[in-house]
C-alpha cells in the first residue's frame, strides 16, 4: 500500500527540491512501507548522534579506531556530506540536534575529565586525537547543514520544547519517553538511521507511538502511600521508575498516586529509568500527562471493566536498589566500598541536580585520586557558571562539563577494575554491560555518592538501617519519634 | 506469546528435511546461511554484539562468545539501545562481521531500518513460530522480493 503524500512530500520524492531531500525521502518511503504507514507527519524536533567524519574509513588504522569510537552511525552521513544541496529542514521549524559525544570540544587537552584522566594505581585514559579531529569535522559539517548540534540528552527541557500533539523523532530513548509522557508530543524510540534522513526532509512515516492505538495504557500501576511519601532522592526516582516498568512488564501503563511537585530532575530520572527495556516509550502519569486527564483517556477509550492493577511498595524499591547494587557489585565490605569515579548526570543533569551537587560539595574537598564528574547540557552548563554552582564544584576539585558523557567515550578502553558510584539508573543498568574489564558499580543518592567523593569510600546512610528492617518493626519505631523531628528518615 | 501450531508435513528425504514458512518482508533481499537462534529478546547495539568482531558479548545470553558473522539470526524481538540499528549497519557494511539476514516473531521498527540500511533481508509474522521451528545449524534461505509483501523462508535440516 502506498503512502498518501502531500504535494510537497511528493515533490521531494520526485527530486524537485534537490538531491539530498530525494535521497532521504526514498529511504523513508521504504521504511514507511515496511511499517505499513499510511501517511507522513511533520517533525518539530529530531535528536540523533553526531557523526565522526573520516576522509578514509577503509584505512585499517582509522577503521580500528572507528570500531571503538563510532556507534555505527557515522558512515550513514557520508553520501549526504558529498551532496551540494544538503540542508536540514530547519526553515520549516524542525530543530535538529544530537546526543552527547565523547569530548567537550573546547577542553580536549584538559586533564581530569572522562576524555583525559588518570586513576592512581589503575591506569589512565586519553581520547584519540584523530578521532577528536574527525568528530569536530562532523560537528562543523552539521553546523553548515543548519543543524543545531546541541550534544544534549534533554533538549526538550530548554532548547526545543515540543507541544502536545506535535511530532518528534528522538533516537534517545529517555528523551522519547519524556516527550511522550510529560509533553504529550509524539515520538517513537526512533532508529538513528531514520533520524539522519528525516532531519533533511522534516517529515517521517506515521507509525508506532505516533498512533493513538499504540499509546494506550494496558494496565494500572499504583504507588503505596509509603512509597509516595518516602521517595526523595534522584536515585530513588530511578529505582521507582524501574519498579513501575517491571510491574507492568514493560507494557504502557497508567501510574497512580505519584508524589506531588516532582522536580525536573526527579521527573527525568523517573521516566528515563522506565525507558530502557520499554519498547513503547510511554507512561501515563495520572495528573501529569496532558493527554490523559482520566484513566479512560489513558486507555484511549478501551478501558476493560477490571484493568490489571499492580502495586509498588517500599519493599519493591529496596529490592530494586539491592538488585542494581548486585548487577556488578563493587568490592569491599557492605558498609565501606572504596570508589574511583563519582558521576552525576545520565541523562544529562538538570539544573536542580547540578545545584544539589554544588550544595553538597560546597566548602568540602574531593579526595585525592577520586574523580567527581557532573555532566550536563549546554544551557545548564552556562547557568551553573552564572550562578556560582560551577565555582562550588570546581573549588572542591570536581569537574562539570557539557556536550559529552562518559558512556559516549570508548568506555571499554578505560583502565580495568575501576569502581564507579552514580545516581544514574541508566549507567548501572546499561553500563554494567559495556564497561571495561572488571568495572564495578555502586548505585546511590547524590548525598551518599558526593560524600563518597569526599571520603573516597561509599557508605550507605543511616536511612538504609531503617529501611532494611521488617515493616512492623519500622512502624513500631516511628511511635518513639519526637514530634519536632522530620516525619521521614534521612535520605541516603 | 507462544504459538503452538503443529508442524506441517515436510518433504522427507533420506538425508534432509525441508520446511517452508511464509511471512512478511520488512527489508528486501535474498540470503542463504546457517541459522543462529536466540530464545530471548536480542539487540544489535555494540555492547551486546561487538562491532569489530560480531561476537555476542552479553553475559547470560544464548551463544555468548560466538560470532554472528554471515549467519541468519533468529530472535523474538529487540531489546536494548536504539543504537542497535546503526550498530547492525556498521557490522554489515564496515567491519564485515554482520549477519546475512534477520528473522523475528515481530521485528521492532529500528531493527527494520537497520536492515534496510544494511541491505540485508528481514522477515517477520511467519505462519509458524520461527524460534521453535528453526534450530541452530539449520540452513535457512530467505526470499524477500519486496518490502511489505509476502516472503518465504525455507529451512533445510540435515538428518
Amino acid at each position: 500500500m502506498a503512502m498518501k503524500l502531500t504535494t510537497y512530500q511528493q515533490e521531494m520524492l520526485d527530486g524537485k527540491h534537490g538531491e539530498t531531500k530525494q535521497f532521504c525521502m526514498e529511504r523513508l518511503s521504504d521504511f514507511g512501507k515496511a511499517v505499513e504507514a499510511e501517511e507522513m507527519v511533520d517533525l518539530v524536533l529530531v535528536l540523533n548522534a553526531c557523526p565522526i567524519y573520516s576522509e578514509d574509513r577503509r584505512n585499517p588504522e582509522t577503521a580500528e579506531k572507528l570500531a571503538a569510537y563510532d556507534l555505527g552511525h557515522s558512515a550513514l552521513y557520508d553520501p549526504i556530506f558529498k551532496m551540494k544541496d544538503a540542508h536540514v529542514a530547519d526553515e520549516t521549524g524542525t530543530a535538529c540536534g544530537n546526543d552527547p559525544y565523547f569530548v567537550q570540544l573546547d577542553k580536549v587537552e584538559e586533564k581530569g575529565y572522562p576524555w583525559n584522566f588518570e586513576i592512581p594505581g589503575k591506569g589512565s585514559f586519553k581520547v584519540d586525537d584523530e578521532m577528536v579531529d574527525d568528530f569536530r569535522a562532523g560537528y562543523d559539517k552539521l553546523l553548515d547543514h543548519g543543524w543545531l548540534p546541541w550534544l544534549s540528552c534533554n533538549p526538550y527541557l530548554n532548547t526545543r520544547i515540543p507541544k502536545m500533539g506535535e511530532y518528534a523523532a528522538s533516537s534517545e530513548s529517555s528523551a522519547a519517553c519524556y516527550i511522550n509522557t510529560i509533553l504529550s508530543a509524539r515520538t517513537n524510540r526512533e532508529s538513528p538511521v531514520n533520524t539522519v534522513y528525516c532531519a533533511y526532509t522534516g517529515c517521517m512515516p506515521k507509525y508506532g507511538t505516533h498512533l493513538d492505538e499504540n499509546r494506550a495504557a494496558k494496565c494500572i500501576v499504583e504507588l503505596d502511600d509509603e512509597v509516595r511519601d518516602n521517595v526523595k532522592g534522584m536515585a530513588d526516582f530511578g529505582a521507582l521508575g524501574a519498579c513501575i516498568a517491571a510491574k507492568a512488564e514493560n507494557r504502557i501503563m497508567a501510574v497512580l498516586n505519584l508524589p506531588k511537585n516532582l522536580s525536573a530532575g526527579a521527573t527525568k530520572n523517573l521516566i528515563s529509568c522506565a525507558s530502557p527495556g520499554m519498547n513503547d516509550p510511554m507512561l501515563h502519569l495520572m495528573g501529569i500527562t496532558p493527554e490523559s486527564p482520566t484513566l479512560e483517556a489513558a486507555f484511549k477509550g478501551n478501558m476493560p471493566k477490571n484493568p490489571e492493577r499492580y502495586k509498588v511498595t517500599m519493599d519493591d524499591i529496596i529490592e530494586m536498589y539491592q538488585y542494581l547494587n548486585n548487577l556488578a557489585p563493587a568490592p569491599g565490605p557492605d558498609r565501606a566500598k572504596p570508589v574511583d569515579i563519582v558521576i552525576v548526570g545520565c541523562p544529562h543533569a538538570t539544573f536542580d541536580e547540578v545545584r544539589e551537587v554544588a550544595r553538597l560539595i560546597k566548602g568540602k574537598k574531593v579526595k585525592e585520586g577520586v574523580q567527581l564528574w557532573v555532566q550536563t547540557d549546554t544551557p545548564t552548563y552556562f547557568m551553573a557558571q552564572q550562578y556560582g554552582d560551577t565555582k562550588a564544584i570546581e573549588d572542591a576539585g570536581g569537574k562539570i562539563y557539557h556536550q559529552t558523557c562518559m558512556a559516549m567515550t570508548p568506555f571499554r578502553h578505560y583502565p580495568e577494575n575501576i569502581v564507579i558510584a552514580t545516581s544514574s539508573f541508566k549507567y548501572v543498568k546499561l553500563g554494567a554491560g559495556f564497561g571495561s574489564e572488571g568495572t564495578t558499580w555502586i548505585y546511590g543518592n547524590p548525598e551518599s555518592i558526593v560524600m563518597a567523593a569526599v571520603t573516597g569510600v561509599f557508605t550507605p546512610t543511616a536511612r538504609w538501617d531503617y529501611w532494611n528492617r521488617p515493616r512492623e518493626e519500622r512502624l513500631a519505631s516511628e511511635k518513639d519519634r519526637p514530634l519536632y523531628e522530620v516525619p521521614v528518615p534521612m535520605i541516603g | 506469546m507462544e504459538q503452538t501450531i503443529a508442524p506441517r508435513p515436510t518433504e522427507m528425504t533420506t538425508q534432509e528435511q525441508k520446511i517452508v514458512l511464509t511471512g512478511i518482508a520488512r527489508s528486501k533481499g535474498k540470503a542463504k546461511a546457517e541459522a543462529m537462534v536466540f530464545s530471548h529478546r536480542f539487540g544489535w547495539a555494540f555492547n551486546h554484539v561487538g562491532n569489530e568482531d560480531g561476537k555476542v558479548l552479553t553475559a547470560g545470553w544464548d551463544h555468548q562468545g560466538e560470532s554472528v558473522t554471515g549467519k541468519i539470526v533468529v530472535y523474538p524481538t529487540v531489546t536494548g539501545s536504539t543504537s542497535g540499528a546503526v550498530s547492525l549497519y556498521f557490522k554489515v557494511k564496515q567491519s564485515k562481521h554482520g549477519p546475512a539476514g534477520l528473522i523475528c516473531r515481530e521485528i521492532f521498527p529500528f531493527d527494520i531500518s537497520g536492515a534496510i540500511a544494511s541491505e540485508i533481508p528481514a522477515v517477520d509474522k511467519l505462519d509458524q513460530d520461527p524460534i521453535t521451528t528453526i534450530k541452530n545449524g539449520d540452513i535457512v534461505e530467505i526470499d524477500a522480493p519486496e518490502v511489505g509483501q509476502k516472503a518465504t523462508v525455507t529451512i533445510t535440516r540435515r538428518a
Side-chain angles (χ1 to χ4, degrees):
Chain A
M1 198 199 66
M3 259 187 292
K4 275 205 315 273
L5 298 182
T6 64
T7 311
Y8 178 67
Q9 287 161 0
Q10 188 62 49
E11 284 178 354
M12 282 199 279
L13 187 57
D14 297 341
K16 288 184 183 160
H17 298 280
E19 182 187 16
T20 315
K21 286 188 166 43
Q22 184 179 26
F23 174 89
C24 295
M25 241 358 227
E26 281 169 354
R27 278 151 187 75
L28 290 172
S29 304
D30 266 359
F31 177 79
K33 271 188 222 144
V35 294
E36 296 165 19
E38 292 175 16
E39 57 181 331
M40 295 264 192
V41 293
D42 291 326
L43 303 169
V44 298
L45 177 144
V46 174
L47 173 57
N48 75 353
C50 188
I52 298 171
Y53 181 50
S54 272
E55 290 297 328
D56 183 11
R57 294 188 193 284
R58 284 190 308 272
N59 167 352
E61 211 174 293
T62 306
E64 193 182 328
K65 288 175 185 172
L66 282 169
Y69 281 80
D70 184 10
L71 303 173
H73 60 292
S74 299
L76 286 169
Y77 287 88
D78 286 357
I80 294 172
F81 285 168
K82 287 195 181 77
M83 294 173 189
K84 291 277 180 291
D85 57 5
H87 198 280
V88 296
D90 67 340
E91 72 279 358
T92 56
T94 312
C96 307
N98 331 84
D99 245 4
Y101 222 177
F102 52 86
V103 285
Q104 179 175 325
L105 285 161
D106 60 348
K107 288 198 172 174
V108 177
E109 293 305 324
E110 295 200 25
K111 273 198 142 96
Y113 291 94
W115 53 90
N116 185 4
F117 68 94
E118 188 182 350
I119 306 278
K122 296 197 179 181
S124 62
F125 173 83
K126 184 173 187 319
V127 288
D128 182 88
D129 289 341
E130 184 194 351
M131 288 292 114
V132 173
D133 291 345
D134 291 353
F135 166 37
R136 200 186 300 275
Y139 180 89
D140 290 342
K141 273 275 187 196
L142 293 193
L143 272 175
D144 280 354
H145 288 188
W147 290 73
L148 182 62
W150 51 59
L151 300 171
S152 151
C153 314
N154 36 22
Y156 53 76
L157 285 174
N158 50 30
T159 306
R160 178 65 176 90
I161 306 165
K163 296 188 288 298
M164 181 158 150
E166 289 179 337
Y167 293 93
S170 167
S171 47
E172 165 57 51
S173 311
S174 69
C177 213
Y178 191 101
I179 288 167
N180 284 320
T181 301
I182 303 295
L183 306 173
S184 277
R186 298 182 170 214
T187 172
N188 284 291
R189 273 178 77 212
E190 196 48 70
S191 155
V193 176
N194 291 336
T195 47
V196 175
Y197 304 140
C198 64
Y200 290 87
T201 61
C203 63
M204 75 170 311
K206 184 177 186 176
Y207 78 102
T209 14
H210 292 151
L211 302 164
D212 257 0
E213 64 260 31
N214 298 326
R215 298 171 73 80
K218 299 277 186 291
C219 60
I220 294 173
V221 176
E222 194 168 3
L223 275 50
D224 257 3
D225 288 357
E226 194 177 40
V227 173
R228 185 195 59 202
D229 298 337
N230 285 293
V231 169
K232 300 284 179 195
M234 291 302 167
D236 293 9
F237 282 102
L240 172 61
C243 287
I244 291 170
K247 290 278 175 188
E249 292 174 341
N250 293 328
R251 291 170 301 166
I252 298 178
M253 77 309 272
V255 186
L256 296 172
N257 205 22
L258 280 161
K260 289 267 181 297
N261 307 334
L262 291 176
S263 72
T267 314
K268 182 207 74 177
N269 283 309
L270 174 79
I271 286 165
S272 65
C273 300
S275 69
M278 282 185 67
N279 279 345
D280 305 314
M282 175 94 211
L283 302 79
H284 295 273
L285 306 181
M286 305 316 292
I288 295 176
T289 303
E291 71 189 71
S292 315
T294 60
L295 275 176
E296 282 77 13
F299 280 81
K300 301 292 174 198
N302 290 326
M303 189 161 158
K305 256 210 165 60
N306 291 311
E308 293 169 51
R309 286 182 98 97
Y310 303 93
K311 252 199 172 347
V312 178
T313 64
M314 207 56 200
D315 291 337
D316 292 323
I317 306 272
I318 294 158
E319 209 175 298
M320 182 57 74
Y321 258 101
Q322 284 160 345
Y323 163 72
L324 289 167
N325 275 310
N326 288 329
L327 267 180
D334 271 356
R335 307 286 316 162
K337 293 176 186 287
V339 300
D340 298 313
I341 297 172
V342 172
I343 189 155
V344 174
C346 165
H348 269 164
T350 54
F351 189 54
D352 57 308
E353 287 180 288
V354 174
R355 272 189 99 70
E356 183 177 26
V357 175
R359 182 170 53 77
L360 291 164
I361 198 78
K362 195 170 182 172
K364 301 190 175 75
K365 275 273 177 276
V366 174
K367 194 177 167 73
E368 192 70 30
V370 177
Q371 317 290 328
L372 170 65
W373 291 339
V374 181
Q375 37 196 29
T376 186
D377 54 311
T378 306
T380 307
Y381 177 82
F382 286 106
M383 271 172 83
Q385 231 171 51
Q386 177 74 17
Y387 299 120
D389 307 287
T390 298
K391 189 173 184 314
I393 292 167
E394 288 180 348
D395 284 353
K399 294 278 193 270
I400 175 169
Y401 49 87
H402 66 129
Q403 296 191 315
T404 179
C405 116
M406 178 178 75
M408 289 289 187
T409 55
F411 200 24
R412 287 164 294 167
H413 301 270
Y414 274 20
E416 292 180 1
N417 304 320
I418 48 176
V419 182
I420 306 175
T422 182
S423 55
S424 161
F425 168 93
K426 259 190 115 154
Y427 267 173
V428 177
K429 179 84 181 159
L430 304 176
F434 59 70
S436 55
E437 197 61 42
T439 299
T440 51
W441 296 85
I442 296 168
Y443 183 66
N445 272 320
E447 287 86 345
S448 50
I449 63 171
V450 170
M451 199 40 76
V454 173
T455 59
V457 172
F458 176 86
T459 316
T461 51
R463 178 192 194 208
W464 290 107
D465 298 339
Y466 174 87
W467 284 111
N468 280 332
R469 282 191 262 166
R471 187 181 156 83
E472 292 70 31
E473 225 180 282
R474 285 204 307 259
L475 294 176
S477 74
E478 288 290 325
K479 293 198 183 87
D480 310 331
R481 206 178 256 286
L483 287 176
Y484 56 82
E485 275 195 53
V486 283
V488 289
M490 290 296 291
I491 299 301
Chain B
M1 209 176 65
E2 294 294 333
Q3 298 172 323
T4 46
I5 302 171
R8 68 177 62 173
T10 55
E11 302 164 33
M12 291 292 290
T13 63
T14 46
Q15 272 83 37
E16 53 185 37
Q17 57 180 139
K18 268 195 194 308
I19 305 170
V20 181
L21 308 180
T22 30
I24 298 177
R26 303 296 176 181
S27 171
K28 64 179 183 230
K30 277 184 197 280
K32 185 174 180 178
E34 194 182 311
M36 192 173 195
V37 185
F38 290 84
S39 57
H40 49 75
R41 283 167 56 171
F42 168 91
W44 291 105
F46 64 94
N47 56 319
H48 293 315
V49 182
N51 274 359
E52 56 278 7
D53 54 13
K55 283 203 175 120
V56 179
L57 302 171
T58 307
W61 278 18
D62 299 349
H63 304 293
Q64 198 198 335
E66 293 174 39
S67 169
V68 300
T69 310
K71 300 271 173 55
I72 285 179
V73 179
V74 186
Y75 57 103
T77 191
V78 81
T79 186
S81 166
T82 52
S83 67
V86 285
S87 289
L88 174 61
Y89 169 80
F90 187 94
K91 285 185 262 278
V92 174
K93 289 289 191 192
Q94 289 181 72
S95 69
K96 311 292 184 198
H97 279 285
L102 315 182
I103 297 174
C104 296
R105 269 186 197 141
E106 190 164 352
I107 187 164
F108 197 71
F110 63 70
D111 279 355
I112 295 179
S113 68
I116 292 176
S118 309
E119 298 172 321
I120 58 171
V123 179
D124 71 351
K125 299 272 170 76
L126 292 156
D127 49 6
Q128 290 183 47
D129 181 14
I131 312 300
T132 50
T133 311
I134 303 173
K135 303 272 183 278
N136 285 312
D138 288 354
I139 299 298
V140 174
E141 190 170 354
I142 301 177
D143 186 9
E146 191 54 54
V147 168
Q149 307 296 321
K150 198 180 97 167
T152 56
V153 171
T154 309
I155 306 160
T156 309
R157 184 165 308 155
R158 296 188 190 89

